[in-house]
Amino acid sequence: MNTPTSPEQMSCYPPPAFDLPFSPAMEADPSDLTLTRPLLEEALAAKPALAALSTEEKRAVLLSMADALEADTEVILAANALDLEAAQDTIAPVMQDRLRLTPGRVADMAAGVRAVAQLPDPVGRTLSAHTLPNGLRVNKVSVPLGVIAIIYESRPNVTSDAASLTFQAGSVCVLRGGKESIHSNTAIVAALHKALQAHHLPTALVSLVTDTTRASANELMRAVGYIDLLIPRGGASLIQTCVDQAKVPCIQTGTGICHIYVDGDADLDKALSVVDNAKTSRPSVCNAAEVCLVHQDIAPTFLPALWHRLVEQRHENGQPPVELRLDPAAMAVLGKGIPAGYDDFDTEFLDYILAVRVVSSVEEAIDHINRHSTGHSEAILTQTRAHADLFTRLVDSAAVYVNASTRFTDGGQFGLGCEMGISTQKLHARGPMGLEELTSYKYVISGDGQTR
């Protein structure tokens, strides 16, 4: 059996006092890893090189990565143009926006890497410490997770976000993007590799799986002994497949049926602006609103204004109008529109579509959200403090807003630099995943000869 390259085989590290072989019981079946095994072995072998870096050395590498992205902007955009050309007849225009890179977006990617470089090092922190009655000193210390695999779809910026976050968190990343963005991802990783090589580090610290068939994704899900954490970023189908089939630890991320509840006393102008932003600023992302709940007292005023803002005004401005899918009460108020279908309140549209329902109270809104939400982001627009407090206490989602757009659910917006994804589960991470969520911990116990 081929075993992963061990740390002692790297010339810059002294051999350990004893050799502990990699246990076959811990390893994935070799027949399961025909596409990814060499890459995973190199990723494992690269871990010690990253662990040896100081905080300042890691920061220097990250800044070099940002510089390399900017220096290779033309190459990255040319590669992205190939992906966009191939996507013209395969994915919807609104999804092509997720794929598209511009000079500004590449600059934003570089800025995100620099922001991560300036964040406190999450590794080696003492999380807690106490001394036992027998004199043992118990320290809980943050440590890297190890090797983190990310399976994602058509957003090339995820490549640099994931690479910078995992690097700062002391972990090796294995990136497996979708076929829609393979040229873009390859160019981005090539730029990051230039930075690693400039600092005499193994390029396997940022590894890209170039096979974009389902087989390679399935291998990563089964790579026990190689991968410490798997993070899927993409549509509901990808995420559910990983959650259902992965044999390695997996975090559920991303799917966002996000709600905005407009309370009976909401400020009309502010409510229109928030709903407009949450739905139309970038409808193809997971923090875009998919459902608007409106209190019955404000519905006769708010719904016609919402129709004018999202449908008529956008049409007049040459923008894609929002398709409102209305429950019977909303349809009765407007007297026009498209009736909501059976699944419309359980669908992540990722498009210019918004399901609308009229409710009788904040309690009914909360009940609807907790029954239909995917646990991502929800908002209440209200001037009643008691309603805001009830909403934030009872709505069980990762991010709950009062009088603000759901579009703020983002690692960069939350001050995390950028994000690995948005976890919609509760263990071990929830909401935007930054550096802290990409570490684990261990206990370091110091004594003076104590025995039990």
Side-chain angles (χ1 to χ4, degrees):
M1 180 187 71
N2 294 324
T3 57
T5 306
S6 58
E8 61 267 27
Q9 289 176 280
M10 300 179 65
S11 59
C12 55
Y13 295 94
F18 57 89
D19 180 27
L20 182 63
F22 188 71
S23 170
M26 297 170 57
E27 187 182 2
D29 186 333
S31 64
D32 285 347
L33 304 178
T34 55
L35 295 171
T36 60
R37 186 181 180 88
L39 179 144
L40 293 174
E41 290 178 348
E42 290 179 2
L44 275 177
K47 286 201 306 181
L50 180 52
L53 297 181
S54 67
T55 296
E56 289 306 315
E57 288 171 329
K58 287 196 295 184
R59 180 172 291 123
V61 175
L62 287 168
L63 294 176
S64 294
M65 286 181 175
D67 292 342
L69 287 172
E70 290 182 332
D72 279 10
T73 295
E74 290 187 8
V75 175
I76 293 170
L77 293 179
N80 184 245
L82 296 175
D83 290 328
L84 286 169
E85 182 180 2
Q88 292 303 307
D89 299 323
T90 58
I91 61 177
V94 72
M95 299 304 289
Q96 291 176 29
D97 180 61
R98 295 169 69 114
L99 174 60
R100 181 173 291 105
L101 291 176
T102 64
R105 288 185 178 181
V106 176
D108 288 343
M109 289 161 55
V113 176
R114 291 191 179 102
V116 171
Q118 300 307 318
L119 294 173
D121 193 336
V123 177
R125 294 181 298 129
T126 299
L127 304 176
S128 65
H130 61 278
T131 301
L132 300 176
N134 62 7
L136 286 177
R137 181 71 174 171
V138 180
N139 293 283
K140 185 179 181 182
V141 181
S142 61
V143 297
L145 281 169
V147 177
I148 301 175
I150 306 97
I151 301 177
Y152 54 108
E153 293 177 339
S154 58
R155 295 180 66 181
N157 66 292
V158 173
T159 304
S160 58
D161 287 355
S164 60
L165 284 167
T166 51
F167 188 89
Q168 178 74 320
S171 288
V172 179
C173 69
V174 175
L175 304 164
R176 193 279 189 188
K179 62 181 180 181
E180 299 88 357
S181 56
I182 184 59
H183 295 96
S184 306
N185 293 338
T186 300
I188 292 167
V189 170
L192 301 179
H193 281 178
K194 291 178 182 178
L196 292 171
Q197 290 168 334
H199 290 268
H200 309 289
L201 292 169
T203 56
L205 291 173
V206 178
S207 297
L208 178 68
V209 178
T210 55
D211 181 280
T212 59
T213 65
R214 291 185 180 180
S216 64
N218 290 337
E219 286 190 10
L220 296 182
M221 297 180 209
R222 299 192 299 264
V224 177
Y226 292 93
I227 290 173
D228 297 287
L229 178 66
L230 172 64
I231 302 174
R233 287 192 61 171
S237 177
L238 166 64
I239 294 167
Q240 196 59 50
T241 297
C242 290
V243 171
D244 291 343
Q245 299 184 13
K247 294 182 180 179
V248 298
C250 179
I251 287 184
Q252 186 169 344
T253 68
T255 305
I257 300 178
C258 302
H259 298 74
I260 294 184
Y261 167 57
V262 184
D263 202 11
D265 67 348
D267 182 296
L268 183 63
D269 291 336
K270 291 179 180 178
L272 287 172
S273 295
V274 169
V275 176
D276 187 359
N277 174 263
K279 179 69 264 182
T280 70
S281 62
R282 201 170 182 190
S284 63
V285 295
C286 62
N287 56 21
E290 305 290 18
V291 177
C292 182
L293 304 175
V294 182
H295 193 283
Q296 62 187 13
D297 291 350
I298 203 173
T301 304
F302 181 77
L303 289 178
L306 185 69
W307 180 278
H308 176 70
R309 179 75 167 256
L310 298 187
V311 182
E312 297 172 341
Q313 198 171 76
R314 288 182 62 82
H315 180 74
E316 292 169 1
N317 294 336
Q319 300 170 308
V322 176
E323 181 179 297
L324 300 183
R325 298 189 181 177
L326 310 169
D327 84 329
M331 181 70 76
V333 170
L334 286 172
K336 56 186 174 182
I338 299 174
Y342 178 78
D343 295 326
D344 282 339
F345 290 97
D346 295 293
T347 299
E348 185 184 28
F349 298 112
L350 300 175
D351 205 343
Y352 291 101
I353 302 171
L354 183 67
V356 180
R357 179 188 173 192
V358 175
V359 296
S360 61
S361 65
V362 63
E363 289 84 2
E364 186 178 355
I366 292 169
D367 177 69
H368 176 100
I369 291 170
N370 284 339
R371 285 187 292 109
H372 295 272
S373 170
T374 53
H376 194 294
S377 302
E378 329 295 347
I380 181 174
L381 310 180
T382 185
Q383 298 184 73
T384 302
R385 183 73 255 173
H387 288 182
D389 291 343
L390 185 69
F391 191 89
T392 57
R393 189 167 68 250
L394 296 186
V395 168
D396 190 21
S397 293
V400 184
Y401 293 86
V402 177
N403 296 324
S405 171
T406 58
R407 288 280 285 111
F408 286 103
T409 305
D410 174 85
Q413 294 294 322
F414 280 15
L416 306 179
C418 51
E419 69 185 33
M420 181 63 75
I422 298 173
S423 171
T424 53
Q425 64 185 47
K426 299 179 182 180
L427 295 176
H428 76 284
R430 195 178 197 193
M433 295 176 58
L435 293 175
E436 183 177 344
E437 289 75 25
L438 296 179
T439 59
S440 183
Y441 57 83
K442 64 183 177 185
Y443 289 96
V444 178
I445 303 94
S446 299
D448 187 27
Q450 288 92 334
T451 59
R452 179 176 176 178

